[in-house]
Amino acid sequence: MGHDHPDPSTDDWANPDFCPFCGTRLTDPGAGFIDHLDESESCRERFADWREHIADDIGSEWSG
C-alpha cells in the first residue's frame, strides 16, 4: 500500500500540518492528528507500530 506523505527532501516532510503516516492535511497539528487517527485505521495502526518501536528509546518519559 502506498502512502502520500510529502517527500523527505521537502520542507513539508516535517510539517505538523500533515499526518506523518499518510500525508493528509490535518485540521490542526495537535487535536487534528488525534481526530485523524480516530478516522483512519491505517494511520492508527502505523502510529501504534511507531510507538512500539520507540518505547524503549523514550522509557519512562513517555506520557502519551
Side-chain angles (χ1 to χ4, degrees):
M1 174 168 89
H3 300 285
D4 295 327
H5 190 274
D7 188 285
S9 65
T10 68
D11 291 339
D12 284 337
W13 186 80
N15 186 335
D17 292 328
F18 296 94
C19 173
F21 303 110
C22 73
T24 296
R25 181 175 286 280
L26 304 171
T27 57
D28 175 85
F33 178 66
I34 301 304
D35 292 343
H36 176 67
L37 292 180
D38 288 342
E39 298 167 359
S40 174
E41 183 177 349
S42 64
C43 291
R44 185 171 50 251
E45 291 172 358
R46 293 181 75 197
F47 178 68
D49 289 345
W50 173 82
R51 270 182 81 173
E52 184 177 321
H53 285 97
I54 64 143
D56 291 339
D57 295 338
I58 303 297
S60 62
E61 297 176 30
W62 183 264
S63 63

